[in-house]
Amino acid sequence: DAGITQSPRHKVTETGTPVTLRCHQTENHRYMYWYRQDPGHGLRLIHYSYGVKDTDKGEVSDGYSVSRSKTEDFLLTLESATSSQTSVYFCAGRGLNGNTIYFGEGSWLTVV
Amino acid sequence: TQLLEQSPQFLSIQEGENLTVYCNSSSVFSSLQWYRQEPGEGPVLLVTVVTGGEVKKLKRLTFQFGDARKDSSLHITAAQPGDTGLYLCAGVISNFGNEKLTFGTGTRLTIIP
């Protein structure tokens, strides 16, 4: 058990609507990450956080925002969902001195 | 831009055979990790290699980090159906105390009983 829980696990939404994916961790990880996984692209970093209220952009951040108001929770928001954002989203966490990244089980998002 | 290229993208072999998966980049990494991912789950870390030329063994799996820390390989001996899964390499780049992980494109391995 990686101690990382994502919600919702599955969601279908309409184009243009805002969507928020939640990541909750119980391991006091300092670093947290949001990735998306698509065929042929592997896992691509969207945003990451290196502490409460400290976040930075990854390689595919356009159309996404994040917030981390407390250590345990890292939220990913799609401001106006598009079909290109249909994907599997993974949250991950890492401790301050650890090199192991622990992943959640993924959130399947379909934008129609 | 994909910094890490894995090959082959798909591999299907018979149980008992040996195989090697490659992970290549033009970038230098401070360390490199290998993950395995099962359907419907997140990736799980198998190993981290840190030193150029380092070799690590995990039962029938042998991981090697290239001398220049730009590439890596995963060799599986006597493959078993339980080895089936998506194998991902990930390069770690440290930048002013922050570490970023860049994942390869993945190799989907199927072991046929």
Side-chain angles (χ1 to χ4, degrees):
Chain A
D1 184 0
I4 293 179
T5 305
Q6 294 183 226
S7 62
R9 294 291 316 279
H10 296 87
K11 184 175 181 65
V12 179
T13 192
E14 293 185 349
T15 298
T17 60
V19 176
T20 295
L21 304 180
R22 292 173 170 75
C23 179
H24 179 77
Q25 58 113 342
T26 59
E27 301 297 321
N28 201 34
H29 295 307
R30 174 173 176 173
Y31 299 93
M32 295 187 76
Y33 309 84
W34 275 107
Y35 289 88
R36 60 179 288 175
Q37 186 172 33
D38 305 286
H41 291 279
L43 283 155
R44 292 180 291 175
L45 182 64
I46 305 171
H47 282 280
Y48 67 101
S49 169
Y50 43 97
V52 173
K53 296 186 179 180
D54 288 326
T55 65
D56 205 350
K57 296 179 179 179
E59 61 180 298
V60 289
S61 60
D62 288 348
Y64 302 94
S65 62
V66 291
S67 66
R68 192 166 179 202
S69 59
K70 50 184 179 178
T71 300
E72 300 82 15
D73 296 317
F74 192 33
L75 305 182
L76 176 70
T77 297
L78 287 65
E79 293 137 11
S80 178
T82 66
S83 58
S84 64
Q85 293 177 310
T86 292
S87 186
V88 184
Y89 291 86
F90 286 96
C91 175
R94 178 172 71 86
L96 176 60
N97 296 314
N99 61 15
T100 300
I101 290 185
Y102 298 93
F103 284 83
E105 294 184 319
S107 294
W108 274 254
L109 176 68
T110 301
V111 183
V112 298
Chain B
T1 302
Q2 187 68 46
L3 295 179
L4 278 167
E5 296 290 340
Q6 286 185 240
S7 61
Q9 188 174 358
F10 299 94
L11 182 59
S12 182
I13 64 171
Q14 294 290 136
E15 180 178 0
E17 295 184 352
N18 302 330
L19 67 105
T20 302
V21 174
Y22 299 93
C23 175
N24 295 294
S25 175
S26 57
S27 300
V28 177
F29 297 105
S30 56
S31 62
L32 193 136
Q33 300 183 329
W34 283 93
Y35 292 77
R36 181 166 62 207
Q37 184 177 15
E38 305 289 345
E41 300 179 6
V44 176
L45 180 66
L46 295 174
V47 76
T48 300
V49 285
V50 179
T51 307
E54 181 176 3
V55 176
K56 280 191 174 179
K57 292 190 175 183
L58 186 66
K59 297 183 180 178
R60 294 174 294 98
L61 278 61
T62 301
F63 305 85
Q64 183 164 8
F65 202 11
D67 291 341
R69 306 208 316 276
K70 294 182 178 181
D71 53 81
S72 181
S73 63
L74 159 61
H75 182 78
I76 300 179
T77 303
Q80 299 179 0
D83 296 326
T84 293
L86 178 66
Y87 289 80
L88 297 160
C89 65
V92 180
I93 296 176
S94 295
N95 184 22
F96 297 102
N98 293 326
E99 291 193 352
K100 289 186 183 180
L101 220 62
T102 299
F103 282 84
T105 48
T107 294
R108 190 165 298 278
L109 175 65
T110 302
I111 308 301
I112 304 167

